[in-house]
Amino acid sequence: MTRPVIGITLGDGDRPGYTSMRADYVRSVERSGALPLVLPTLAPEHAEAVLDRLDGLVLSGGVDVDPALYGRPRHPKLGRVDRERDAFELALTRHALRRDLPLLAVCRGQQVLNVAAGGTLIQDIPSELEGAVTHAAPGRRTRRSHPVEVVGASKLREILGAGPLSVNSFHHQAIDRLGEGLSVTGRCPEDGVIEAVEMKDRSFVLGVQWHPESFWKEPVSFQALFDAHSTASRVCCMVRSR
Ligand code: MN
């Protein structure tokens, strides 16, 4: 059977001049039966040509999104931004949404998805959200640090069950005002932080604020998210190859 090709966006690594990502994304997509294709940051005008080769897209985690892109001034606690990556990922996301290409958006990816849909972000949870639990948890990538309540009928519920889920958390930003067409499907019950979203008028557009890719080696994992994305991408692959 033809394997769907799933693009995974890359960011700038900690070494200047290198582009890199956590191999966990590649392994999770490979395990799902799809072929992972890592995408370096390119000029945004290449987004459409890249998408022509893909059956699905994963937006990976990374640095903060430039608040200028959602019309807010910089908060003093804003972290590092990568304007080239923002521009390329926003172009990929907008065109993917228009094409109804299956999209799985992880952490920063969920934030990029929200900004692409016209939403805004909390730039720093600890200083902007009183009483928030720790979302930038130290320690192992598979350390589960807070619960997520699964809200309403959703793909998330179909894939992972009614919850509550127990997730890892490595973010200091989150969705503030929700973008157009997005629905909240998961929240941290302790502080209301949006942890999962979907675009219900698309065949598969799902964002999570935690890191499902970290668990691919674990007996209890979130692999089902990658598997469901791969299944949706296989449909795209069959349509495309006709
Ligand atoms: Mn969190």
Side-chain angles (χ1 to χ4, degrees):
M1 200 206 277
T2 313
R3 290 177 186 271
V5 177
I6 293 179
I8 310 169
T9 54
L10 284 166
D12 282 343
D14 294 331
R15 278 174 87 183
Y18 282 72
T19 184
S20 65
M21 74 182 316
R22 285 183 185 277
D24 290 345
Y25 292 99
V26 173
R27 298 280 87 84
S28 298
V29 169
E30 185 185 29
R31 261 191 76 181
S32 77
L35 287 179
L37 188 68
V38 292
L39 308 174
T41 296
L42 301 174
E45 54 265 34
H46 296 316
E48 290 241 68
V50 168
L51 293 174
D52 286 344
R53 271 76 168 184
L54 300 180
D55 305 304
L57 177 66
V58 173
L59 295 172
S60 65
V63 297
D64 291 350
V65 177
D66 185 351
L69 294 166
Y70 50 89
R72 295 250 177 108
R74 284 177 171 238
H75 185 281
K77 298 272 182 170
L78 178 75
R80 189 157 68 86
V81 298
D82 180 344
R83 288 202 186 81
E84 287 74 30
R85 184 178 179 189
D86 287 345
F88 184 53
E89 287 189 335
L90 281 172
L92 283 174
T93 304
R94 289 183 176 127
H95 290 302
L97 291 175
R98 194 175 43 71
R99 294 172 182 220
D100 198 17
L101 195 78
L103 173 63
L104 180 61
V106 175
C107 194
R108 165 192 159 87
Q110 167 166 289
Q111 296 160 14
V112 168
L113 169 63
N114 190 55
V115 171
T120 64
L121 303 180
I122 296 172
Q123 293 185 47
D124 182 61
I125 294 170
S127 55
E128 288 185 66
L129 191 65
E130 211 179 311
V133 301
T134 302
H135 288 271
R140 282 183 301 117
R141 298 294 294 180
T142 51
R143 186 177 150 218
R144 298 181 191 249
S145 54
H146 70 71
V148 168
E149 192 176 28
V150 178
V151 183
S154 62
K155 277 204 164 47
L156 187 73
R157 182 180 294 251
E158 286 167 28
I159 297 166
L160 295 179
L165 310 171
S166 182
V167 305
N168 55 349
S169 192
F170 305 99
H171 61 110
H172 82 118
Q173 301 207 318
I175 292 176
D176 187 3
R177 195 187 70 230
L178 202 59
E180 205 181 322
L182 287 167
S183 304
V184 175
T185 59
R187 267 186 205 278
C188 176
E190 284 151 25
D191 54 21
V193 164
I194 295 174
E195 290 279 340
V197 296
E198 280 171 36
M199 207 168 262
K200 296 201 170 161
D201 61 353
R202 296 299 196 286
S203 44
F204 191 105
V205 173
L206 197 156
V208 291
Q209 189 57 66
W210 71 93
H211 283 274
E213 78 285 358
S214 302
F215 296 88
W216 67 275
K217 270 189 277 188
E218 304 288 312
V220 179
S221 79
F222 293 110
Q223 182 62 33
L225 285 171
F226 289 92
D227 294 349
H229 180 244
S230 176
T231 300
S233 302
R234 181 165 282 124
V235 173
C236 249
C237 177
M238 283 168 355
V239 171
R240 197 167 62 93
S241 59
R242 220 176 264 153

